[in-house]
Amino acid sequence: MVPDSTFASAAIARNPAWAQLLGLCPLLAVSNSVVNALGLAAASAFVVIGSNTLISVLRRQIPDMARLPCFVLIIATFTTVATLLLEAYAYGLYEKIALFVQIIVTNCMILGRAEAFASRQPVGRSLLDAAGTAAGFALALVTLGAVREVLAHGTLLRDAEHLFGTHAAGWQISLGFEVLPLAALAPGAFIVAGLLLALGNRLLRARPATTTPDTDAT
Amino acid sequence: MIRALTTVVVIGAACAGLLVATDALTRPDIEYARQARARALAEALLGRALPEGMNPDAAQFGDCPAWLFRRHEANGYAGPIDLLAFYRSGTLSLRVTAHRETPGIGDFIDHARSSWIPELDGLPVKEWRSLDTVSGATITSDAMRHAADELAGIFEREVSSCGS
């Protein structure tokens, strides 16, 4: 497997949200707007890329029987750092999504990639796999966030200043209609996610089957 | 076994070091953001801008205060509940500035999620002490009632000592 396919495989074929259905709790809870989705995607990317790279660097030093405590320590540390950075530099967004940033530490997607891939592969490939996993999760989050925000509020990028600073206050795009206010609530999240999942399955299954050996599946 | 334990201890120590460094780096910005948030909430409760340079932590207006602010911490179900309290003429208003209560159950205390707290704005102090418990969130309700009782006592002492 060449490095490029490591990234693409992690992002698309083994997309943590749509293909493996991992991390659905924060995915559904936070994706009521694009900005919230971007915030969680950035925090998740920081944790998965940082922790998996470090685990790959230390993989020969960590004995088998201590690997899970060590992985959890490293992931929890990166999660806490992400929470502190969010609170310091994006306080408005922190107030909205802090709870779900803190529970990144329990996200099976991150521990899964650490155990199945980063702890067995060299740093370069682990970094690509983590970046692909982060990109796939971000893609799922932002897609769901955009669809829900458009359906529920008829806007895109509302409250952009919470993530990008005061100069982003005018970035909101108003489409002038609110088709489905339910989309902003939990039941709407399940309905929209289910429809996007069905669409994703339809598109992926329409593609010819790949022959890539699945040696590192979670 | 010894090697495994040593590895966990070494990685744990390195993680702790990283956390201490990050905490030191972000603490001033976090405190500034919290102060700005408290000030915005205080101004919304007061209905006008706070005097320049006045900190909403234990702020008061005049020698014999017409109104008082104070930040306070209550013991919630899942950790501390940070409060901003506003006292004016025997009435009390509260805003929660940070909490970890259970989403959907205990987060009714968050004014951004529920109208429970804003509807109690300007409630006489004695009525805060006899607030009804919210079903399903007994500990959170008790924490708020207890905090209101403590704050009311502090404010009443400050006001009664004025001019005596």
Side-chain angles (χ1 to χ4, degrees):
Chain A
M1 188 186 288
V2 295
D4 281 351
S5 69
T6 302
F7 180 90
S9 166
I12 307 294
R14 279 195 289 276
N15 184 295
W18 297 142
Q20 301 184 66
L21 301 179
L22 296 176
L24 289 188
C25 168
L27 181 84
L28 296 176
V30 168
S31 62
N32 54 358
S33 76
V34 172
V35 169
N36 287 359
L38 280 171
L40 184 68
S44 302
F46 174 78
V47 176
V48 73
I49 293 172
S51 59
N52 279 16
T53 305
L54 186 58
I55 285 167
S56 179
V57 168
L58 298 174
R59 68 188 188 281
R60 295 189 209 287
Q61 278 71 46
I62 299 176
D64 254 9
M65 65 186 305
R67 69 185 194 286
L68 279 179
C70 291
F71 294 171
V72 172
L73 261 174
I74 290 168
I75 294 168
T77 301
F78 275 95
T79 304
T80 309
V81 169
T83 307
L84 288 171
L85 292 175
L86 189 68
E87 186 174 7
Y89 304 116
Y91 194 74
L93 190 63
Y94 168 83
E95 285 190 309
K96 287 182 164 185
I97 66 169
L99 177 70
F100 297 98
V101 173
Q102 288 158 5
I103 63 167
I104 287 174
V105 72
T106 62
N107 193 328
C108 311
M109 167 186 86
I110 295 169
L111 190 58
R113 294 324 292 165
E115 170 70 7
F117 202 97
S119 62
R120 300 170 190 187
Q121 299 288 343
V123 177
R125 290 196 69 204
S126 295
L127 180 60
L128 276 174
D129 179 75
T133 302
F137 192 56
L139 182 68
L141 261 170
V142 174
T143 307
L144 187 56
V147 173
R148 288 180 66 193
E149 187 178 336
V150 167
L151 290 175
H153 304 290
T155 61
L156 272 176
L157 289 173
R158 66 203 303 259
D159 298 330
E161 66 275 17
H162 287 167
L163 181 60
F164 299 107
T166 49
H167 65 278
W171 288 7
Q172 177 175 316
I173 302 165
S174 293
L175 305 174
F177 56 82
E178 294 175 16
V179 180
L180 186 67
L182 176 71
L185 306 174
F190 279 100
I191 292 168
V192 175
L195 292 172
L196 286 176
L197 186 57
L199 179 65
N201 280 340
R202 168 86 184 185
L203 293 175
L204 285 175
R205 286 177 187 176
R207 296 167 59 195
T210 61
T211 54
T212 304
D214 193 14
T215 54
D216 50 26
T218 51
Chain B
M1 186 65 169
I2 297 294
R3 184 173 171 242
L5 276 174
T6 309
T7 307
V8 172
V9 168
V10 169
I11 289 180
C15 290
L18 179 60
L19 289 180
V20 168
T22 310
D23 180 57
L25 175 75
T26 55
R27 186 182 292 270
D29 290 294
I30 290 174
E31 192 49 41
Y32 175 79
R34 286 179 179 172
Q35 290 278 0
R37 175 73 172 141
R39 187 176 182 87
L41 282 174
E43 292 181 343
L45 283 171
L46 187 60
R48 63 184 171 86
L50 281 173
E52 195 60 37
M54 180 176 274
N55 187 334
D57 288 349
Q60 64 180 49
F61 184 73
D63 294 333
C64 220
W67 46 261
L68 290 156
F69 282 107
R70 178 175 287 276
R71 276 165 80 177
H72 191 74
E73 188 176 290
N75 291 321
Y77 177 73
I81 300 172
D82 293 336
L83 294 162
L84 178 71
F86 174 55
Y87 177 88
R88 177 160 53 187
S89 307
T91 67
L92 186 65
S93 305
L94 295 177
R95 287 290 182 274
V96 172
T97 54
H99 73 91
R100 294 178 182 173
E101 301 306 282
T102 313
I105 299 174
D107 62 353
F108 66 90
I109 58 173
D110 188 342
H111 67 277
R113 297 177 190 273
S114 159
S115 61
W116 187 78
I117 277 271
E119 285 172 0
L120 300 174
D121 281 354
L123 200 65
V125 162
K126 63 180 179 186
E127 291 185 36
W128 273 102
R129 289 175 167 136
S130 56
L131 269 187
D132 287 341
T133 297
V134 174
S135 177
T138 310
I139 295 173
T140 308
S141 301
D142 284 349
M144 296 300 286
R145 190 164 44 233
H146 187 65
D149 185 36
E150 280 185 355
L151 284 160
I154 294 169
F155 286 137
E156 284 172 343
R157 277 196 298 280
E158 288 195 30
V159 171
S160 64
S161 67
C162 168
S164 60

